[in-house]
Amino acid sequence: MKLRILWLLLLLPAGAFAQDKVTISGYVKDGGNGEAMFGANVLAKEVRIGVSTNTYGFYSLTLPKGQHTIAYMYLGYATQNLSLNLQRDTVIQIDLAQNQKMMSTAEIVADKAQDNTQSTRMSTVELDIKDIKKLPAFAGEVDILKVITLLPGVKSGGEGNSGFYVRGGGPDQNLVLLDGAPVYNASHLFGFFSVFNGDAIRSAEIIKGGMPAQYGGRLSSVLDITMKEGNNKRFEVEGGLGLIASRLTVQGPIVKNKLSFIVSGRRTYADLIAKPFLKNQNGGAFSGSGYYFYDINAKINWIISPKDRLYLSGYFGKDKFSFNNKESGFKAGINWGNATATLRWNHVYSSKLFSNLTLIFTDYNFAFEGEQAEFAFKLGSGVRDYGFRLDYNYYPSPKHTVRFGGEYTNHTYKPSNVTFESTVSDLVLPQPLNYHTNEAAIYISDDWEISKRWKINIGARATYFAFMGPFTRYVTDKQGQTIDTITYKPWQKIKDYFRAEPRVSGRFLINENMSLKASYTMNYQYAQLVSRATVSLPLDVWLPATEKLKPQFSQQIALGYFVNFRKNMFETSVEVYYKPMRNLVEFEDGADPAQSINDNIDNTLVQGNGESYGAEFFIRKSKGKFNGWIGYTLAWTNRKFSMLNGGKTFPSKYDRRHDISLVLNYDLNYRWQFSGVFVYSTGNTLTMPSSLYFAEGKLITEFGDRNAYRFPSYHRLDLGVTYVTSKPEKKFKSSISLSVYNTYSRMNPFFIYYTQEGSLSEGDFQLKAKQVSLFPIVPAITWNFKY
């Protein structure tokens, strides 16, 4: 009944005066390449009524009948003004041309600056790939994940880690989407690089709070990355040659203005460079060892008709590490990678109703293989998803934007698959234990402009999750010994959960350039990444909620003050937040994750609670030759598990009190661009020994409270310069980028280990902690080209 009343309220504005109103709708595209323009503004000047385009460039604007001047605007592009006498619903497709004057002064920005103060969205930052490419890059490789950690509230896991941590959450609490498909492991080279090739990416948006109802399944954030659609006007080739990797992208029309494609590839060649050295070292004992990664992005965009569009996109990436010692006969290999595919169909039912149907596939696999003499074994894990989602955008009036839809995903989790072969042993291992689950959700939201000053976005999300057979449950006693087993048949329901998640955010406009915002979100998460901290290899595994593991839960309240000044040249914000969390997951003390062949991993896990709170300060300058941002975060993140640390509260591993980032770009002229990044953060927490003693002839180490100590603080300065070698009028464009990572060679800590020095007999025995660092100063040079 309540849902029917809500729909009547939403539909009332659309029908009350329908006879006196008409709707203008269509798509806004980049006139140079045919790409959809997300966030373009469509404004009726006389009545001052406007809307913005959605992710696919679609807009719908309802106006009184009569004469109107419609302005189509996007920063960095020339505004188009159309004088129209609107007497009936009208469809108009618009191609915007880049404004060359604005380009010369580097005023191209990715979003509408006034959204900072006038929209209900908060805790959200949009990044354009053009801006990302300007920043200094580690080893010359542009990395979206590294850039978002420069934003307040988003923290890096440390040197050589592509994981990121948002407002006190873990790396598994971030929903990373590539064209709508979830990416479960977003790193190459054990975390040194992300899987996202900058040449194939159009834009990225991160949502840290106030999560809209269409997103779910994670507690902390959404990183929504959109691939380019492919130029449907003309062929383009671009790429780059660097010290450790090269990349190449080809895009163009198959049928001009109707069917286009893009294919982008990247590969490292450290293995090729090292091969002759390994062959000649120690008589070729390590010949055959090496490492490389590669990834491929591809997409086809087909405009079937003015009302129908089809997109097919995919990603495939792989890391391959091999070790071969011919003297001992030992071989080892580590392979991991992601594959995603999405098929999307856009359909315009009417001038006010837009839909998008998406079919989704994603697969992540990790495998460690070892072989010596008569023995060979393989340890693997992974996740595979099949799913679909259906989203609707309904525009009853300029004051309402209604979104509703649903989704379904079938998950298969493979946390620990072990195989063993031997010519001298008859060891038989049990069959791998996979976890099968089904997850579904429906949602609805309305972005409602109540008055000029007040605007709210109110929504709700309902989720259903079921843990299904086939499955074998090992029942254990308090000592961890198996005392019974329970076998579940295929599709037999083991445990299910139904949850509701309200979402609301609001804005009070003080004046055109100043506003107050607030948001409240509730989230449930049915998957978690459990870390095998005792193993040095990247063996973290994904597990679902089960009858033993409850779904993770969080609430977040955020308040913000937003101000633009100097004609929207500067965007500033101050946000405070509080986020309590329940049912977080850790291994119990003394657990040995390697001993899970005849057991369930969730038998060795414990759950507890956490909280995170803090304040974020952000100043951003998007226009002009000199641009960038400053971010500062003051935060606290704590955990409390009854089974850990004696039940006492302890700081999270990535609790950092202070986090500062300074990002600057300067476009001197057409040929020269300069950039710099400085970061500072409080060191990560760690647990250290508190005492040593002998018992039964063995040296026993007692550890202090969990995470009671900290690494030294982390800070680093990166510098970059780009020189454009080609003239503006030339079709073939090229540039040389020089970057210096960690310019003053700060030896930031990677990990700490302990050594025993001296002897008891001499009375000078000591246990000393020693720091291991990864990177001193790292210069890189890359040649980029485009035709």
Side-chain angles (χ1 to χ4, degrees):
M1 185 65 183
K2 292 181 179 179
L3 185 61
R4 292 180 180 178
I5 294 173
L6 174 61
W7 271 105
L8 287 173
L9 291 173
L10 295 177
L11 293 173
L12 181 61
F17 304 100
Q19 65 274 18
D20 296 323
K21 295 181 180 295
V22 294
T23 300
I24 180 173
S25 61
Y27 288 89
V28 179
K29 299 180 294 181
D30 186 321
N33 55 30
E35 293 263 358
M37 302 188 75
F38 165 56
N41 302 314
V42 183
L43 175 67
K45 290 186 173 181
E46 288 81 4
V47 293
R48 303 299 299 173
I49 297 175
V51 294
S52 297
T53 56
N54 68 8
T55 304
Y56 302 97
F58 179 79
Y59 71 95
S60 174
L61 178 61
T62 299
L63 300 167
K65 289 182 179 180
Q67 192 72 31
H68 294 277
T69 302
I70 310 297
Y72 296 85
M73 299 172 290
Y74 194 84
L75 289 173
Y77 289 73
T79 298
Q80 279 198 35
N81 294 290
L82 299 181
S83 181
L84 302 172
N85 185 10
L86 297 176
Q87 298 299 324
R88 60 180 182 274
D89 290 353
T90 305
V91 177
I92 296 181
Q93 320 290 9
I94 293 293
D95 288 353
L96 293 182
Q98 289 185 339
N99 188 322
Q100 298 299 322
K101 181 179 179 180
M102 294 184 75
M103 287 177 64
S104 65
T105 57
E107 291 182 339
I108 298 177
V109 294
D111 53 10
K112 186 180 70 171
Q114 279 193 320
D115 279 352
N116 183 55
T117 57
Q118 299 194 4
S119 75
T120 57
R121 288 151 51 98
M122 63 182 301
S123 311
T124 300
V125 179
E126 296 174 18
L127 294 170
D128 188 272
I129 195 64
K130 297 186 185 76
D131 299 324
I132 294 174
K133 285 186 173 182
K134 291 180 180 180
L135 301 180
F138 174 72
E141 284 297 302
V142 173
D143 193 330
I144 292 175
L145 296 191
K146 292 265 190 311
V147 173
I148 67 169
T149 60
L150 302 175
L151 300 171
V154 186
K155 302 177 183 180
S156 167
E159 203 97 65
N161 191 332
S162 279
F164 60 99
Y165 304 80
V166 178
R167 291 185 172 177
D172 60 327
Q173 295 177 358
N174 305 309
L175 179 62
V176 181
L177 299 173
L178 179 62
D179 266 6
V183 178
Y184 283 94
N185 187 310
S187 68
H188 282 307
L189 190 55
F190 304 99
F192 291 110
F193 302 100
S194 78
V195 300
F196 304 113
N197 181 354
D199 287 349
I201 302 304
R202 184 180 73 187
S203 63
E205 177 184 70
I206 184 165
I207 302 171
K208 302 176 291 180
M211 191 182 297
Q214 65 263 32
Y215 296 111
R218 298 294 187 270
L219 299 188
S220 291
S221 75
V222 178
L223 176 60
D224 197 348
I225 297 174
T226 304
M227 287 174 53
K228 293 178 180 177
E229 297 176 356
N231 194 322
N232 67 13
K233 306 288 185 181
R234 61 181 183 274
F235 283 94
E236 283 187 6
V237 178
E238 66 177 313
L241 297 174
L243 295 178
I244 67 166
S246 292
R247 61 190 191 278
L248 181 67
T249 301
V250 180
Q251 59 179 314
I254 300 173
V255 178
K256 193 171 183 179
N257 296 321
K258 193 174 185 67
L259 181 63
S260 63
F261 77 95
I262 180 172
V263 178
S264 184
R266 178 176 59 161
R267 191 194 191 278
T268 59
Y269 31 73
D271 58 318
L272 303 178
I273 297 173
K275 184 178 290 186
F277 297 97
L278 293 173
K279 183 178 292 186
N280 297 325
Q281 189 176 21
N282 296 328
F286 298 100
S287 179
S289 300
Y291 168 82
Y292 66 92
F293 73 76
Y294 65 89
D295 43 40
I296 300 172
N297 297 77
K299 190 170 185 177
I300 293 176
N301 171 25
W302 181 18
I303 304 175
I304 303 172
S305 70
K307 291 189 174 183
D308 297 279
R309 300 182 179 212
L310 204 65
Y311 304 87
L312 176 62
S313 60
Y315 165 84
F316 182 78
K318 201 78 171 178
D319 287 68
K320 296 182 74 70
F321 171 80
S322 60
F323 175 80
N324 185 9
N325 189 327
K326 291 185 177 181
E327 292 181 352
S328 64
F330 177 71
K331 296 180 180 180
I334 306 175
N335 304 313
W336 71 96
N338 297 276
T340 70
T342 56
L343 177 63
R344 291 179 293 170
W345 171 43
N346 290 173
H347 179 67
V348 180
Y349 287 92
S350 70
S351 59
K352 294 185 178 182
L353 185 60
F354 176 93
S355 73
N356 178 63
L357 174 64
T358 307
L359 304 181
I360 301 169
F361 168 79
T362 185
D363 184 60
Y364 165 67
N365 278 292
F366 169 87
F368 175 80
E369 302 177 29
E371 180 181 339
Q372 188 169 25
E374 297 88 358
F375 298 92
F377 70 94
K378 181 177 180 179
L379 173 64
S381 64
V383 187
R384 178 172 292 179
D385 292 350
Y386 296 94
F388 70 88
R389 63 177 295 142
L390 181 59
D391 302 284
Y392 290 92
N393 291 1
Y394 176 53
Y395 307 92
S397 76
K399 293 183 179 295
H400 290 268
T401 299
V402 181
R403 302 176 188 272
F404 61 96
E407 61 181 308
Y408 164 80
T409 305
N410 175 268
H411 305 277
T412 300
Y413 297 87
K414 299 170 284 186
S416 185
N417 294 342
V418 181
T419 59
F420 177 83
E421 295 178 4
S422 173
T423 59
V424 298
S425 174
D426 295 327
L427 177 64
V428 178
L429 299 178
Q431 291 295 314
L433 278 178
N434 295 337
Y435 292 67
H436 303 273
T437 68
N438 293 290
E439 185 174 356
I442 57 174
Y443 73 89
I444 184 171
S445 68
D446 181 23
D447 201 46
W448 179 15
E449 186 176 3
I450 301 172
S451 66
K452 184 177 180 180
R453 291 188 181 275
W454 290 97
K455 189 175 185 180
I456 65 170
N457 186 301
I458 185 168
R461 183 180 180 90
T463 61
Y464 175 77
F465 181 87
F467 174 38
M468 315 286 290
F471 186 72
T472 300
R473 167 61 65 189
Y474 293 92
V475 182
T476 59
D477 58 19
K478 293 182 179 180
Q479 287 72 41
Q481 300 299 314
T482 301
I483 58 175
D484 195 9
T485 59
I486 304 173
T487 301
Y488 296 92
K489 297 178 181 179
W491 293 99
Q492 181 179 353
K493 184 175 69 177
I494 304 172
K495 179 66 177 177
D496 63 349
Y497 300 92
F498 177 82
R499 298 290 187 267
E501 304 174 8
R503 315 279 178 87
V504 63
S505 59
R507 175 224 71 194
F508 175 72
L509 195 63
I510 299 172
N511 57 46
E512 290 295 321
N513 299 308
M514 187 183 302
S515 65
L516 298 173
K517 298 183 185 182
S519 68
Y520 169 80
T521 57
M522 179 186 290
N523 295 77
Y524 285 90
Q525 179 170 327
Y526 300 100
Q528 45 267 319
L529 187 68
V530 292
S531 176
R532 295 179 163 185
T534 59
V535 182
S536 60
L537 301 173
L539 294 176
D540 297 353
V541 298
W542 285 91
L543 276 180
T546 65
E547 80 279 22
K548 294 180 69 68
L549 288 180
K550 296 179 180 179
Q552 297 183 64
F553 169 77
S554 77
Q555 302 176 81
Q556 184 177 159
I557 300 172
L559 301 173
Y561 175 62
F562 298 78
V563 180
N564 288 3
F565 53 94
R566 294 287 298 271
K567 297 182 178 180
N568 293 321
M569 179 176 290
F570 292 92
E571 306 170 44
T572 65
S573 64
V574 179
E575 294 189 41
V576 295
Y577 65 90
Y578 175 69
K579 181 167 68 173
M581 295 168 278
R582 295 206 307 261
N583 303 329
L584 304 179
V585 177
E586 293 279 359
F587 277 109
E588 63 185 8
D589 284 337
D592 185 358
Q595 303 299 321
S596 59
I597 296 175
N598 289 295
D599 198 1
N600 306 119
I601 292 182
D602 52 352
N603 283 337
T604 63
L605 300 174
V606 294
Q607 292 192 282
N609 299 330
E611 67 173 0
S612 178
Y613 52 93
E616 299 168 2
F617 303 83
F618 190 49
I619 303 174
R620 182 181 187 183
K621 182 177 184 291
S622 299
K623 299 180 181 180
K625 289 187 174 184
F626 186 76
N627 53 79
W629 69 80
I630 302 173
Y632 170 66
T633 305
L634 174 67
W636 289 261
T637 303
N638 298 312
R639 300 286 188 263
K640 186 173 184 179
F641 288 68
S642 61
M643 303 293 290
L644 300 179
N645 202 46
K648 296 182 294 184
T649 300
F650 59 91
S652 171
K653 181 179 180 181
Y654 295 100
D655 171 59
R656 292 181 181 173
R657 196 70 62 246
H658 306 283
D659 197 273
I660 303 170
S661 59
L662 173 63
V663 178
L664 299 175
N665 290 306
Y666 180 64
D667 296 338
L668 179 63
N669 51 41
Y670 169 78
R671 291 196 180 275
W672 290 97
Q673 298 175 352
F674 300 89
S675 60
V677 171
F678 175 76
V679 294
Y680 170 89
S681 64
T682 304
N684 289 337
T685 61
L686 76 157
T687 306
M688 296 186 68
S690 59
S691 63
L692 297 170
Y693 62 89
F694 275 92
E696 298 180 356
K698 295 181 180 180
L699 181 64
I700 306 299
T701 303
E702 286 281 348
F703 285 86
D705 287 345
R706 180 175 285 230
N707 297 340
Y709 299 89
R710 289 190 180 273
F711 285 100
S713 60
Y714 181 100
H715 52 89
R716 190 187 79 241
L717 173 67
D718 306 333
L719 298 175
V721 59
T722 297
Y723 175 70
V724 179
T725 59
S726 57
K727 295 181 179 180
E729 64 274 10
K730 295 293 184 179
K731 290 185 177 181
F732 183 84
K733 301 183 183 300
S734 65
S735 63
I736 296 174
S737 295
L738 175 66
S739 64
V740 182
Y741 180 88
N742 197 7
T743 304
Y744 52 84
S745 200
R746 160 74 175 180
M747 301 308 291
N748 288 300
F750 181 50
F751 66 86
I752 287 177
Y753 70 97
Y754 303 96
T755 62
Q756 299 175 10
E757 298 184 2
S759 66
L760 289 173
S761 59
E762 297 293 331
D764 59 352
F765 178 85
Q766 288 183 319
L767 184 69
K768 286 193 173 182
K770 295 194 175 182
Q771 174 181 304
V772 174
S773 300
L774 283 181
F775 301 116
I777 182 172
V778 181
I781 187 169
T782 305
W783 176 60
N784 301 296
F785 61 90
K786 183 176 182 179
Y787 179 74

